[in-house]
Amino acid sequence: SAVISQKPSRDICQRGTSLTIQCQVDSQVTMMFWYRQQPGQSLTLIATANQGSEATYESGFVIDKFPISRPNLTFSTLTVSNMSPEDSSIYLCSVDGSLETQYFGPGTRLLVL
Amino acid sequence: GESVGLHLPTLSVQEGDNSIINCAYSNSASDYFIWYKQESGKGPQFIIDIRSNMDKRQGQRVTVLLNKTVKHLSLQIAATQPGDSAVYFCAEFSRGSYIPTFGRGTSLIVHP
């Protein structure tokens, strides 16, 4: 399985600011995914990031709010822009593994005041 | 719309007991399922998977059962240990899709 790290692991931010979350994988992967997990809730897919193309966003998520970069096969960033308290959540990146299995990073815990 | 859900949001058991976590799904096109374990402060971890051409799959201390007739999935944990305390999610994949739909999650609490 892939080893995935995320930075920062947690942060407290002021509303109106932006935070960029980094996701690093120890092997080359085709697809990387970004999820949001609100407190006590399940995981909601934000977007799929493939290297060399624009990210594909799920319904309810837009590029202006959650811009994503995928400069190579081992790295991706997610920016949460113009944050509000409603953006307080855990943000998780994952990568495709064998078959349809996805492996997840440890998550970034974001609190917006 | 179609959804994946769980019957019990919280399950409390005594150490050594067997645990059963349930998941109902409504998408008849689902053909692959995964159970994930998420410990506090960590990301979800793959536990076990099952394809729709099977009705049972066993791992180490865990068994997944799939009943396609009633669209029901369960995770059985034998001899539950305190380290099993976590939130458990089922994830369902529609045929041809690499994007899972996650269930609501069940919090398993194991009392020593």
Side-chain angles (χ1 to χ4, degrees), chain A residues 37 42 45 100-102 105 109, chain B residues 36 38 41-42 51 102-103:
Chain A
Q37 185 179 25
S42 188
L45 182 65
E100 292 96 329
T101 306
Q102 289 190 16
R109 281 141 188 84
Chain B
Y36 283 94
Q38 187 176 24
K42 297 184 180 179
R51 292 210 167 270
F102 284 88

Side-chain angles (χ1 to χ4, degrees), chain A residues 10 31 33 35 37 40-45 48 50 58 90 92 98-107 109, chain B residues 31-32 34 36 38-46 49 51 89 93-94 96-100 102-105:
Chain A
R10 59 180 66 241
M31 290 188 287
F33 306 89
Y35 287 84
Q37 185 179 25
Q41 301 292 317
S42 188
L43 286 74
T44 302
L45 182 65
T48 303
N50 292 334
E58 297 299 304
I90 301 171
L92 295 149
S98 60
L99 301 172
E100 292 96 329
T101 306
Q102 289 190 16
Y103 299 104
F104 285 85
R109 281 141 188 84
Chain B
D31 68 347
Y32 181 59
I34 296 176
Y36 283 94
Q38 187 176 24
E39 297 175 89
S40 181
K42 297 184 180 179
Q45 212 179 349
F46 173 92
D49 61 354
R51 292 210 167 270
F89 293 97
F93 291 79
S94 297
S97 172
Y98 56 81
I99 304 293
F102 284 88
R104 187 173 149 212

Side-chain angles (χ1 to χ4, degrees), chain A:
Chain A
S1 63
V3 177
I4 304 165
S5 60
Q6 287 185 232
K7 288 182 183 179
S9 59
R10 59 180 66 241
D11 208 343
I12 301 173
C13 301
Q14 297 297 318
R15 70 175 67 203
T17 63
S18 298
L19 175 72
T20 295
I21 302 167
Q22 300 179 5
C23 179
Q24 180 77 52
V25 191
D26 68 342
S27 58
Q28 294 185 340
V29 294
T30 304
M31 290 188 287
M32 295 180 78
F33 306 89
W34 287 99
Y35 287 84
R36 182 173 70 185
Q37 185 179 25
Q38 294 181 306
Q41 301 292 317
S42 188
L43 286 74
T44 302
L45 182 65
I46 297 172
T48 303
N50 292 334
Q51 193 256 343
S53 62
E54 286 206 2
T56 302
Y57 289 83
E58 297 299 304
S59 175
F61 298 97
V62 295
I63 188 171
D64 289 347
K65 175 67 176 177
F66 297 101
I68 288 171
S69 78
R70 181 79 200 273
N72 56 52
L73 292 174
T74 62
F75 187 78
S76 178
T77 67
L78 169 77
T79 299
V80 186
S81 303
N82 188 24
M83 288 183 285
S84 66
E86 290 72 33
D87 294 320
S88 297
S89 191
I90 301 171
Y91 292 87
L92 295 149
C93 76
S94 73
V95 304
D96 58 321
S98 60
L99 301 172
E100 292 96 329
T101 306
Q102 289 190 16
Y103 299 104
F104 285 85
T108 295
R109 281 141 188 84
L110 171 62
L111 176 63
V112 184
L113 302 177

Side-chain angles (χ1 to χ4, degrees), chain B residues 38-84:
Chain B
Q38 187 176 24
E39 297 175 89
S40 181
K42 297 184 180 179
Q45 212 179 349
F46 173 92
I47 302 173
I48 192 168
D49 61 354
I50 190 167
R51 292 210 167 270
S52 60
N53 60 353
M54 303 171 70
D55 53 21
K56 181 179 180 180
R57 190 155 189 231
Q58 286 185 292
Q60 189 178 14
R61 281 201 308 118
V62 294
T63 301
V64 55
L65 298 177
L66 175 62
N67 186 330
K68 295 180 287 294
T69 302
V70 296
K71 297 188 182 69
H72 185 266
L73 189 71
S74 69
L75 177 70
Q76 300 179 359
I77 304 173
T80 314
Q81 302 166 1
D84 294 327

